[in-house]
Amino acid sequence: MALKITEDCIACGTCVDTCPVSAIAAAGDKYAISADCTECRACVDCCPVSAIVD
Ligand code: SF4
Ligand code: SF4
């Protein structure tokens, strides 16, 4: 999996609604990307704190 969500995540949930394959879900007090990710990168630009990185 190439993309991951860093500790900078503020759990706003924006990326969850942006992901076309529902690959992002809550993980503790942050969010995480599952193996269903197709690396379309739609979530990268939607994150307000740039917490989704390669
Ligand atoms: S890169 Fe695309 S498929 Fe992967 S988590 Fe982000 S929005 Fe979803
Ligand atoms: S858009 Fe960014 S800050 Fe918001 S839940 Fe997703 S990774 Fe976290």
Side-chain angles (χ1 to χ4, degrees), residues 5 9-15 31 46-49 51-52:
I5 295 176
C9 174
I10 57 172
C12 71
T14 302
C15 57
Y31 279 73
C46 85
C47 180
V49 294
I52 306 176

Side-chain angles (χ1 to χ4, degrees), residues 3 19-21 23-24 33 37-43:
L3 292 166
C19 182
V21 296
I24 305 177
I33 298 175
C37 174
T38 60
E39 299 182 25
C40 73
R41 307 189 69 84
C43 58

